[in-house]
Amino acid sequence: MRAFTRRPKGTIADTTVEASSEFEVVLEAECGTALFGTGGKYQAEIVMRDITANNNIPFKVAGPTNGSFGDTNWPQEDQKFVYHVEPTELTGRVGHLCQVYAYLLVGITHPDVGIGVSPMFVIEP
């Protein structure tokens, strides 16, 4: 599992984001053929943390982050979940150092857990 930030529709990770522009948080995950074939349940979640202010950056999550392997939200063994962050959610955070924490729960009882942490990024003016 991997988490990173990027410019909208970008193809590479970016460790600086502009406070006046939207950016994306990407969570990449994959499962093997055997697990994917079971159609098992999953739930993906992220937390964006402002290290400088020592609090979370709240933002709206658009679209489902849970389902079953093989459904329309996870149609193949590898999957990218893309979360859009609006500039209004960055008010007062210019110059702050931030990081994304992500986790993936697989299964219903005693779920298997995958954890990913993004590289730190800075919010620029």
Side-chain angles (χ1 to χ4, degrees):
M1 170 185 280
R2 180 171 95 121
F4 60 92
T5 55
R6 70 180 185 192
R7 297 189 190 285
K9 301 187 193 287
T11 57
I12 59 172
D14 196 343
T15 57
T16 59
V17 299
E18 295 176 12
S20 60
S21 300
E22 111 176 3
F23 70 97
E24 296 174 338
V25 174
V26 179
L27 170 58
E28 293 180 332
E30 63 181 317
C31 65
T33 305
L35 181 59
F36 185 78
T38 67
K41 302 278 186 197
Y42 68 86
Q43 177 180 341
E45 298 291 339
I46 67 169
V47 174
M48 191 164 27
R49 188 87 181 140
D50 183 331
I51 306 298
T52 304
N54 195 28
N55 60 19
N56 292 342
I57 301 173
F59 66 99
K60 291 182 185 178
V61 175
T65 57
N66 57 34
S68 300
F69 296 122
D71 69 13
T72 56
N73 298 315
W74 196 316
Q76 57 200 33
E77 291 174 10
D78 62 321
Q79 178 58 30
K80 285 183 184 176
F81 294 97
V82 179
Y83 305 90
H84 300 277
V85 182
E86 298 293 328
T88 55
E89 296 159 338
L90 303 177
T91 302
R93 298 184 188 273
V94 171
H96 288 209
L97 182 64
C98 303
Q99 195 165 32
V100 174
Y101 300 87
Y103 64 91
L104 176 67
L105 302 174
V106 176
I108 297 172
T109 56
H110 308 294
D112 187 27
V113 179
I115 297 174
V117 179
S118 78
M120 290 188 184
F121 62 96
V122 174
I123 299 173
E124 297 181 327

